[in-house]
């Protein structure tokens, strides 16, 4: 049986020591550190919540919920706002039509109704 050569204690370029079966002269000379240009960009808004959740140790369920329910919540609120705007437009149109009809009827009843509407507006 062949015996292995005794390992040499070698000092690595980073300053640490190790035992190796190689000639220390075969190790590469210390190299000049390379400069790495790293471009850091801001995450898109939809990924920010995920990264915050993952970074704070929240589980995958919370990340999945934020990905699924975030856009769903925005869509629901937008839909409600559009519905309310349409309802307000309908109320304005009906009120305008009613006031126009009452004023155009003329006669004592129409004038009295228009006078009542004007007095209600002043209050």
């Amino acid at each position: 049986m062949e015996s292995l050569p005794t390992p040499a204690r070698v000092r690595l370029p980073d300053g640490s020591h190790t035992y190796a079966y190689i000639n220390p002269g075969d190790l590469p000379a210390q190299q000049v550190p390379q400069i790495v240009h790293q471009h850091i960009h801001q995450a898109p808004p939809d990924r920010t919540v995920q990264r915050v959740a993952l970074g704070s140790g929240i589980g995958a369920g919370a990340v999945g919920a934020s990905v699924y329910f975030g856009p769903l919540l925005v869509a629901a609120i937008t839909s409600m706002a559009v519905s309310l705007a349409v309802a307000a437009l309908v109320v304005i149109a009906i009120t305008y039509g009613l006031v126009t009809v009452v004023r155009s009827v003329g006669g004592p009843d129409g004038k009295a109704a228009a006078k009542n509407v004007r007095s209600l507006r002043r209050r």
Side-chain angles (χ1 to χ4, degrees):
M1 234 180 156
E2 293 183 26
S3 64
L4 292 174
T6 56
R9 186 170 182 217
V10 180
R11 184 172 185 195
L12 297 175
D14 65 352
S16 61
H17 291 87
T18 185
Y19 291 97
Y21 294 104
I22 59 172
N23 183 4
D26 294 340
L27 291 175
Q30 285 190 346
Q31 296 176 350
V32 177
Q34 293 179 343
I35 298 174
V36 177
H37 294 282
Q38 184 175 7
H39 298 278
I40 301 172
H41 299 280
Q42 184 178 3
D46 58 329
R47 302 288 172 133
T48 304
V49 175
Q50 298 173 32
R51 292 178 188 206
V52 169
L54 288 173
S56 62
I58 299 175
V63 176
S66 69
V67 170
Y68 182 77
F69 288 113
L72 194 66
L73 181 63
V74 170
I77 291 172
T78 304
S79 176
M80 289 167 38
V82 169
S83 298
L84 288 174
V86 169
L89 187 64
V90 168
V91 167
I92 289 171
I94 290 174
T95 304
Y96 177 76
L98 210 87
V99 168
T100 304
V101 168
V102 168
R103 285 185 181 168
S104 67
V105 169
D109 292 335
K111 289 180 182 176
K115 185 178 177 184
N116 287 338
V117 169
R118 267 185 268 147
S119 67
L120 286 175
R121 283 188 191 165
R122 291 183 188 161
R123 289 186 190 177

